[in-house]
Amino acid sequence: AEYMGDIDTIILDVCTMSFVLPVLRSKHEVDQLIQKTKDKVVILRFGREEDIVCMKLDDILAKSQRELSKMAEIGIVRVDDVPVYMRYFDITIIPATIFFFNQQHMKVDFGTQDHTKFIGSFFCKQDLIDLVEVIYRGAMRGKFIVNSPIPQSHVPKYTLIYKDI
């Protein structure tokens, strides 16, 4: 019973993190954040709040929010609320994190097949902070793709399977 109490506390703590982060419930709200944010990185986390990996990512995002406040805005997008972006960004694995700067979709070379989004949770808060700093500096210099500063051992591995090609 003591062990379960600890797990319940951890899950409760992680669930409360989504209250700290703005939840975007429609395509319009996502579009508004992307369009109205100037000279800051927009971080969009696509996922489901009840997913354990999304909970870990939300915890990292919430704990990083204050340190990133001068260079980034964070938004939580429920995949079931905004299916149009699921198709547009070809999100098949959650959580997926997508970055924008001045309405421009920023791409990152993570050493994976997909440069358009980060799949999974970040290993630690510092990985997220380092990545946002690199995206911000690159974007301020006019770049639309940057190399990830995250060590390869901290990047989740997955395989893309293409059907009906």
Side-chain angles (χ1 to χ4, degrees):
E2 183 179 323
Y3 180 72
M4 287 304 290
D6 292 341
I7 293 295
D8 291 343
T9 303
I10 291 168
I11 290 173
L12 179 61
D13 287 346
V14 174
C15 285
T16 19
M17 291 303 154
S18 63
F19 293 123
V20 174
L21 301 168
V23 177
L24 308 173
R25 300 179 193 281
S26 68
K27 179 185 182 302
H28 177 73
E29 289 180 6
V30 174
D31 291 344
Q32 287 298 109
L33 180 63
I34 293 169
Q35 292 170 4
K36 296 211 183 255
T37 304
K38 301 293 179 213
D39 295 331
K40 283 187 175 184
V41 176
V42 174
I43 304 167
L44 296 177
R45 188 281 280 153
F46 289 82
R48 291 186 179 95
E49 289 173 342
E50 65 274 7
D51 181 87
I52 196 77
V53 182
C54 289
M55 288 180 191
K56 179 183 179 208
L57 178 54
D58 289 353
D59 182 49
I60 289 170
L61 289 168
K63 288 178 178 174
S64 305
Q65 189 175 31
R66 188 175 54 76
E67 290 174 63
L68 293 173
S69 64
K70 292 190 188 264
M71 69 179 109
E73 295 290 333
I74 302 169
I76 301 298
V77 183
R78 295 181 181 144
V79 293
D80 299 319
D81 292 347
V82 191
V84 65
Y85 276 127
M86 292 291 292
R87 289 187 301 277
Y88 185 78
F89 291 117
D90 194 27
I91 297 170
T92 54
I93 303 171
I94 60 169
T97 307
I98 299 178
F99 304 91
F100 289 86
F101 188 85
N102 290 345
Q103 301 180 34
Q104 175 67 42
H105 182 191
M106 297 298 296
K107 294 168 184 65
V108 182
D109 184 352
F110 296 106
T112 63
Q113 303 100 318
D114 192 350
H115 294 65
T116 62
K117 57 191 161 284
F118 185 84
I119 303 293
S121 178
F122 292 95
F123 184 77
C124 62
K125 176 178 141 179
Q126 194 58 50
D127 284 349
L128 172 64
I129 292 169
D130 292 346
L131 177 61
V132 172
E133 286 176 351
V134 166
I135 293 170
Y136 180 79
R137 282 196 308 260
M140 290 301 279
R141 287 190 231 131
K143 295 185 178 188
F144 300 117
I145 185 166
V146 297
N147 289 316
S148 171
I150 301 172
Q152 280 300 301
S153 60
H154 291 189
V155 177
K157 304 294 182 246
Y158 59 92
T159 303
L160 293 177
I161 299 173
Y162 296 97
K163 293 182 181 181
D164 303 326
I165 293 182

